[in-house]
Amino acid sequence: DASPCKAWRFDSEQRKWRARGRGNLRVYYHSEARMAKIVFMDTKHKKNRLLQWIESAQAAHLSEVDDAAATSNCVEWVANDYTMDVQQPMYGSWKLSFLEQKQKADEFVALFNKYLAMQQQQNDNNNERQHVDDVRETLTMPTTTTTITRADAPFSFSFSTSTDAPKEPFS
């Protein structure tokens, strides 16, 4: 179900919040990829104004906006936005005001942070699997010999690893 809201991005050059429009917000979750994304559609211009994966390093939180039309139902987070360019996203701070709907703001914060925690857990698991794979590859690497010939004499270097456990325990 789409939630009506107003969106902003923080313009770091001008040091102020810039309106992204007034429209509807949807959060989608892709169960196979285990990723969630935010899509905000400006209803006046019929354009996507936010297109973001929930993958931030920071959790979303309730916030204030310096705008007479805004309410205290604002949520702020930091993320990459892919609306303008999917190859080079715009990184920055973002805000939504859930127009007179404090409950919707609380629900969005909870949902964003839930999906963020799931994404971070998946990243941690992927990093752990990659580390295990790297160690496994290192342990099973075959013996390698490299010979460098210099003008006066050859030089050999050998590297080998073993997956065998030590014969005696370490003391």
Side-chain angles (χ1 to χ4, degrees), residues 13-168:
E13 290 178 8
Q14 295 186 6
R15 310 248 342 120
K16 68 180 185 177
W17 290 98
R18 313 271 307 184
R20 296 294 294 152
R22 189 178 191 131
N24 294 312
L25 173 78
R26 292 185 187 263
V27 176
Y28 296 94
Y29 182 72
H30 191 287
S31 58
E32 288 180 26
R34 296 185 198 162
M35 292 185 74
K37 74 177 171 183
I38 299 167
V39 178
F40 173 77
M41 174 72 77
D42 178 3
T43 53
K44 182 178 178 181
H45 301 286
K46 305 287 187 221
K47 289 185 177 182
N48 279 336
R49 296 294 187 182
L50 293 176
L51 179 57
Q52 302 175 0
W53 292 105
I54 297 179
E55 59 184 0
S56 175
Q58 295 180 3
H61 60 278
L62 294 175
S63 177
E64 296 296 321
V65 168
D66 299 326
D67 184 282
T71 66
S72 62
N73 305 326
C74 293
V75 177
E76 183 177 346
W77 70 97
V78 176
N80 285 317
D81 185 76
Y82 297 87
T83 306
M84 302 298 280
D85 188 345
V86 295
Q87 300 300 319
Q88 296 195 351
M90 180 187 299
Y91 180 79
S93 295
W94 307 90
K95 282 191 184 186
L96 291 173
S97 174
F98 291 85
L99 309 169
E100 303 300 324
Q101 299 180 52
K102 173 80 168 95
Q103 179 185 354
K104 289 290 187 181
D106 292 336
E107 288 174 10
F108 177 79
V109 168
L111 189 63
F112 183 100
N113 293 339
K114 171 188 160 187
Y115 286 137
L116 180 60
M118 290 169 59
Q119 182 64 37
Q120 289 171 340
Q121 179 64 42
Q122 181 178 339
N123 290 345
D124 290 346
N125 290 343
N126 289 344
N127 289 342
E128 180 62 27
R129 274 195 294 276
Q130 183 62 48
H131 175 70
V132 168
D133 290 345
D134 289 347
V135 169
R136 185 175 296 126
E137 183 179 318
T138 300
L139 293 176
T140 59
M141 194 181 285
T143 301
T144 304
T145 303
T146 304
T147 303
I148 301 172
T149 306
R150 294 168 59 187
D152 53 348
F155 172 78
S156 281
F157 171 74
S158 293
F159 174 79
S160 65
T161 58
S162 173
T163 57
D164 298 333
K167 304 284 188 238
E168 298 177 24

